[in-house]
Amino acid sequence: MLVAHGSRDPRPQEALNQLAKRLGERSGCSSVGTATLELAPLPLHQQIQNFAKLSQSWGYSQVQILPLFLSSGVHVNTDLPEEVAIAQEQLGAEIQLNLLPYFGSQINLLADWIATKMARVEIENWILIAHGSRHPGGNQPIEQLATQIGAIPAYWSVSLNLETQIQALTASGVHRIGIIPYFMFSGGIKDAITQSLQKFSQEFPTVEFELISPLEIDDNLVTLIEDLLR
């Protein structure tokens, strides 16, 4: 079962469904479910229960739950374990729920994957922009990933924002900057980042910006998720 954050924008849900479908097709298994922590008609524990009961009817005794989150904030550390615990208590012992490490914890695999995409563009100065977390230590995985791929981190919802980091790079004489939006699915924030870059292009006319999309729903992503589920 793939669990995402949830959004009012329909695109993340469409992408989540597409990812589950491709994962099922690749593995020859139809039992790949989806759920969201927020903005769903049912609370997450009920979504998990429903899928677990369906899985049980197919003859399975366990459900692997993979959180498609990129940083270690309150959702990963508190909300998800609590929802899974509620679901497990109500399901009883007939089927086991296994909460896997969140997707963004796979720093080395993600770093190699993103570095491969970065290598296709001739840029030396990169900014990795993520949502950001106020949870203590929540941004540490982002900072570690940025270090491994040779980028500097920026955040959408906390300090060290994109504009601050662009100003720092341009002040040091940089004229070409690559931007890596680190979000699981396309949505409103990625749209806003694109619009911001249009503004920055006018504000810094001597700087060229290059935007790449590291997390695309392709065979590489499906393979990575298959590895995690194993």
Side-chain angles (χ1 to χ4, degrees), residues 104-141:
S105 65
Q106 311 304 310
I107 300 293
N108 292 333
L109 294 175
L110 288 166
D112 290 343
W113 185 17
I114 295 174
T116 299
K117 297 196 174 188
M118 292 166 63
R120 299 171 187 167
V121 185
E122 293 184 2
I123 291 178
E124 294 183 359
N125 296 277
W126 291 90
I127 299 174
L128 178 74
I129 178 165
H131 185 277
S133 172
R134 292 180 174 82
H135 188 273
N139 295 323
Q140 190 275 333

Side-chain angles (χ1 to χ4, degrees), residues 27-68:
S27 62
C29 176
S30 60
S31 56
V32 180
T34 65
T36 59
L37 179 61
E38 297 184 357
L39 302 169
L42 296 174
L44 178 57
H45 65 266
Q46 187 64 61
Q47 297 173 68
I48 294 172
Q49 283 176 250
N50 292 347
F51 180 71
K53 290 176 181 177
L54 184 60
S55 299
Q56 195 172 20
S57 72
W58 291 332
Y60 293 104
S61 60
Q62 296 186 43
V63 173
Q64 307 282 67
I65 300 172
L66 177 62
L68 295 178

